[in-house]
Amino acid sequence: MSRNLTLTALACLALVACGTPQEQCISRNTDEYRTVSRLLAQVEGNLARGYAWDERVVTRTELDFCPTILRNKDGDRVLVQRSCWRDVADTERFRVPIDPVVEQRKAENLRARLAALRPNAERAVQACRAAYPEEG
């Protein structure tokens, strides 16, 4: 099976994690291959852009309406909306400079690992297809 066909098949099956028994079998048995493939794509993207993306949580305060229980003149409880300040957490993406030499070395190591994992992943896919043939 060619590399692109294998990657395409594995990517499609990864999207359908709760699919047929065949897809579940393939997903279970090719987890490491898909992880290394995803990491390689991320590193290659970093090299192409010249920087990496990272995320951080930023907390900010915003004005909101908060429900408050008050008692009226008869002593009954009444729900009212009052303005209040609330902390809101946002995830912010930012650029991180990379060392191209380190990223290239990382990409080469991931390519070697992917090549080592490919035969087992292909055997697992074939075994799953044999064990759980799909009809139609």
Side-chain angles (χ1 to χ4, degrees):
M1 194 182 291
S2 74
R3 176 178 172 230
N4 290 340
L5 184 58
T6 301
L7 289 175
T8 304
L10 292 175
C12 290
L13 294 173
L15 293 175
V16 189
C18 56
T20 66
Q22 182 188 89
E23 291 165 343
Q24 291 173 2
C25 175
I26 291 171
S27 178
R28 271 192 316 270
N29 291 300
T30 59
D31 185 47
E32 186 176 4
Y33 181 86
R34 288 181 289 116
T35 301
V36 172
S37 179
R38 188 182 71 249
L39 289 172
L40 178 60
Q42 181 181 0
V43 169
E44 288 174 342
N46 292 347
L47 283 168
R49 281 189 307 273
Y51 57 88
W53 285 109
D54 201 0
E55 295 181 345
R56 63 179 161 226
V57 177
V58 178
T59 305
R60 60 183 172 78
T61 306
E62 69 178 21
L63 188 61
D64 199 1
F65 291 100
C66 301
T68 306
I69 297 177
L70 299 175
R71 295 206 180 260
N72 62 14
K73 62 181 178 180
D74 297 329
D76 298 329
R77 295 190 307 181
V78 178
L79 182 67
V80 295
Q81 298 288 333
R82 287 189 171 176
S83 59
C84 61
W85 293 100
R86 290 193 179 192
D87 289 334
V88 178
D90 287 328
T91 303
E92 178 181 272
R93 286 182 71 189
F94 62 98
R95 295 176 182 180
V96 178
I98 62 168
D99 182 355
V101 174
V102 172
E103 290 291 306
Q104 189 63 42
R105 192 176 322 128
K106 198 184 307 183
E108 290 169 5
N109 290 337
L110 287 169
R111 282 187 201 102
R113 181 70 181 141
L114 203 59
L117 291 172
R118 186 174 295 115
N120 289 339
E122 288 175 350
R123 279 195 295 276
V125 169
Q126 290 172 356
C128 290
R129 287 183 177 154
Y132 303 102
E134 290 188 347
E135 299 172 10

